[in-house]
Amino acid sequence: MKYIDEFQDPELARRLLDEIHATVTRPWALMEVCGGQTHSIIRHGIDQLLPEQVELIHGPGCPVCVTPLEVIDKALEIASRPGVIFCSFGDMLRVPGTGRDLFQVRGQGGDVRVVYSPLDALRIAEQNPGREVVFFGIGFETTAPPNAMTVHQARRLGIRNFSLLVSHVRVPPAIDAIMRSPDCRVQGFLAAGHVCSVMGTAEYPELAARYRVPIVVTGFEPLDILEGVRRTVLQLERGEHTVDNAYPRAVQAGGNPAARAMLDDVFEVTDRAWRGIGVIPDSGWRLSERYRDYDAEIRFSVEGIDTREPAECRSGEVLQGLLKPHECEAFGTLCTPRSPLGATMVSSEGACAAYYLYRRLDLASPGRRGQARSVPTPGPASPDAPTPDAVPSTVSSPNLPPLEGSSVV
């Protein structure tokens, strides 16, 4: 596919790796912010090919994973009520709340529907004027504009039986919270390219200067990530800490003005709880006063929710970069994609799911852990690609039932 295959070229990957190896002289810890980047890193074995001095720490950039348990439980309560059609992206249906998930609510008779766009939910509301239709609006700065547009459209069209259960979060305050943690080891960031394609890069220079960390805006294909690592390591070795855009094909400094204007109209910044992390000031959005009557939490008065995280789940430490997924005692045993303890195992962008799908068998074979690193073949084999002996094997995903839809942060 044009503009995808070009960023999965094994020979170019080898050259970038050679440059990184030639540049690094000391240990560095980098955090990729986005869960999509985490999956690409683990799927292609990028972390195994980098110099041993370069450690990639997985950040909290999975919107499903950081949606707080209290909001999940509110979704379950609303979806269980008679007369409600609850709409969501498919990857939210298996996320565990306190004792159940949306799949179980649907199995118990709740009208829970998978949609592929918030506008699908608005269309359902038009077609069912006698019922309340709720859309579960989660995500980072990338999914917030279409959700804002849907509420704007509902108001413009006079559709009153539609509401939004909002759990939107913002990346820059999360970076600030990570750097303020006394346990933080992060020395540089690979910023999420799709977030910056909406919001631009204006919020990052102050963070880079305050904490003296380079922030490199990075894409999601193997060459994107390797180039992001190369630029970050180069800055660290030089003692620099600036914002660098390594994803110019999608990101402009000012972001998307139309999307930002829609966000400013429909939402307002608020404190937001992150699952496994806690409340981060100014890290989320809620509906502004003008659109507050479309807020599902207010419309359904969901209060007094008693939330309880499983004691065995350590996903909060994974989301903070303090723990690798396989270091959790429940990984692959008590916690699997079919019976997840936390959202990081079931989400299509969760770090635990990435390790389970692509590295579970490697982790189960102690003899394989010390294998020499080699250059991966990110895409389909080509005549010039390295021989199979030079390429690490990847673990195929088990035959799990696919979810019906997926959100994109």
Side-chain angles (χ1 to χ4, degrees), residues 221-232:
E221 296 302 320
L223 296 189
D224 288 323
I225 293 169
L226 288 172
E227 175 63 5
V229 171
R230 186 190 72 82
R231 294 194 190 193
T232 307

Side-chain angles (χ1 to χ4, degrees), residues 320-362:
Q320 296 176 69
L322 303 177
L323 190 76
K324 291 291 195 295
H326 66 280
E327 294 170 342
C328 173
E329 296 82 358
F331 175 82
T333 54
L334 294 175
C335 183
T336 69
R338 287 188 180 275
S339 57
L341 293 178
T344 49
M345 179 57 85
V346 68
S347 168
S348 60
E349 294 190 350
C352 296
Y355 274 70
Y356 189 91
L357 291 173
Y358 304 122
R359 198 161 291 173
R360 175 168 47 101
L361 298 186
D362 285 341

Side-chain angles (χ1 to χ4, degrees), residues 79-271:
S80 301
R81 295 190 181 183
V84 170
I85 301 174
F86 194 88
C87 299
S88 172
F89 293 132
D91 51 5
M92 291 301 299
L93 268 63
R94 204 183 293 276
V95 177
T98 301
R100 57 178 179 167
D101 57 32
L102 285 169
F103 266 127
Q104 291 171 298
V105 170
R106 186 162 73 175
Q108 294 163 359
D111 194 344
V112 178
R113 305 186 189 184
V114 171
V115 295
Y116 296 89
S117 163
L119 290 173
D120 292 341
L122 187 60
R123 191 173 302 111
I124 291 171
E126 285 186 283
Q127 296 167 350
N128 296 269
R131 302 182 65 184
E132 287 288 337
V133 176
V134 181
F135 179 72
F136 201 175
I138 71 156
F140 288 86
E141 291 92 333
T142 44
T143 51
N147 291 346
M149 172 59 77
T150 303
V151 175
H152 176 83
Q153 284 288 89
R155 188 174 186 272
R156 186 181 68 84
L157 298 172
I159 301 174
R160 306 300 303 171
N161 63 321
F162 174 83
S163 60
L164 192 69
L165 180 60
V166 183
S167 186
H168 280 301
V169 290
R170 303 172 58 241
V171 168
I175 292 178
D176 182 55
I178 288 166
M179 292 307 300
R180 285 189 284 105
S181 169
D183 300 317
C184 178
R185 299 186 297 111
V186 179
Q187 296 164 293
F189 286 93
L190 305 181
H194 48 12
V195 168
C196 294
S197 70
V198 175
M199 302 303 294
T201 58
E203 293 183 88
Y204 295 101
E206 192 272 336
L207 291 170
R210 185 195 313 167
Y211 297 110
R212 301 184 65 82
V213 292
I215 300 177
V216 178
V217 180
T218 307
F220 306 89
E221 296 302 320
L223 296 189
D224 288 323
I225 293 169
L226 288 172
E227 175 63 5
V229 171
R230 186 190 72 82
R231 294 194 190 193
T232 307
V233 168
L234 192 60
Q235 282 201 49
L236 289 168
E237 291 284 339
R238 291 174 175 174
E240 299 173 354
H241 45 84
T242 63
V243 176
D244 187 8
N245 182 10
Y247 198 37
R249 69 184 187 274
V251 174
Q252 303 296 318
N256 185 322
R260 294 180 62 182
M262 182 58 63
L263 290 172
D264 290 341
D265 178 42
V266 176
F267 291 127
E268 63 185 26
V269 172
T270 187
D271 299 345

